[in-house]
Amino acid sequence: MGPRARRRLAGGLISLVAVAAVAVVVVLLTRPSGSGSCTGIRACARVVGKTDKRYYANSRKLIFGMTEQQVRRLVGPPTKKAGRCWEYELNVEYPANAQHGNQIWNADKLCFDGGRYSESHAKFNGKWDYQPPLPSFAGSS
């Protein structure tokens, strides 16, 4: 093997090692910080019953003002229709945190005015538009 071939081989090996090092760094920086820890609320969630998976996967992309056709194209047909609202079934559990216990996201309701997405309602723990209790603070009444 001549000097030119050795230089090319050495350059190729250095490039391969550099790419492998970058891949290791990316994997280490993007994994959860501890065993069993989650990086974001959806990462901690788990499906516990019948769930419209297409809606769940795309619901964060919904934008008020979208037409009914745009909504259907993005999240699919609703589980139920009631008047001007579409309901999507979800049964997704979020683990307990310091402020409140486990929460189960049961459903979402999307309502339309004039054919445009204008309202959103969520059903948590069997109650529409449920808001978890705020934490109490010592000394407040």
Side-chain angles (χ1 to χ4, degrees), residues 97-117:
N97 62 35
Q99 293 178 353
H100 45 277
N102 284 14
Q103 302 292 309
I104 296 183
W105 181 18
N106 305 112
D108 263 0
K109 193 181 291 184
L110 310 180
C111 299
F112 298 85
D113 279 327
R116 300 259 177 196
Y117 172 44

Side-chain angles (χ1 to χ4, degrees), residues 3-21:
R4 179 183 242 174
R6 276 188 238 136
R7 281 194 305 271
R8 285 183 178 168
L9 180 61
L13 288 174
I14 290 171
S15 297
L16 182 63
V17 169
V19 168

Side-chain angles (χ1 to χ4, degrees), residues 65-121:
M66 293 176 96
T67 65
E68 290 180 2
Q69 293 82 5
Q70 289 171 320
V71 170
R72 185 182 294 269
R73 206 174 306 126
L74 179 63
V75 296
T79 307
K80 290 188 224 176
K81 283 187 178 182
R84 62 185 188 87
C85 299
W86 295 0
E87 189 175 317
Y88 291 87
E89 186 174 1
L90 300 162
N91 287 290
V92 179
E93 181 179 34
Y94 296 95
N97 62 35
Q99 293 178 353
H100 45 277
N102 284 14
Q103 302 292 309
I104 296 183
W105 181 18
N106 305 112
D108 263 0
K109 193 181 291 184
L110 310 180
C111 299
F112 298 85
D113 279 327
R116 300 259 177 196
Y117 172 44
S118 61
E119 290 178 49
S120 178
H121 302 277

Side-chain angles (χ1 to χ4, degrees), residues 13 22-23 27-29 39 67 79 86 95 110 116 132 140-141:
L13 288 174
V22 168
V27 168
L28 291 175
L29 291 176
T39 57
T67 65
T79 307
W86 295 0
L110 310 180
R116 300 259 177 196
S140 64
S141 50

Side-chain angles (χ1 to χ4, degrees), residues 42 52-61 74-75 90:
R42 284 192 181 232
D52 186 325
K53 290 178 178 45
R54 181 173 171 188
Y55 178 83
Y56 180 66
N58 293 300
S59 63
R60 291 182 290 178
K61 299 174 188 171
L74 179 63
V75 296
L90 300 162

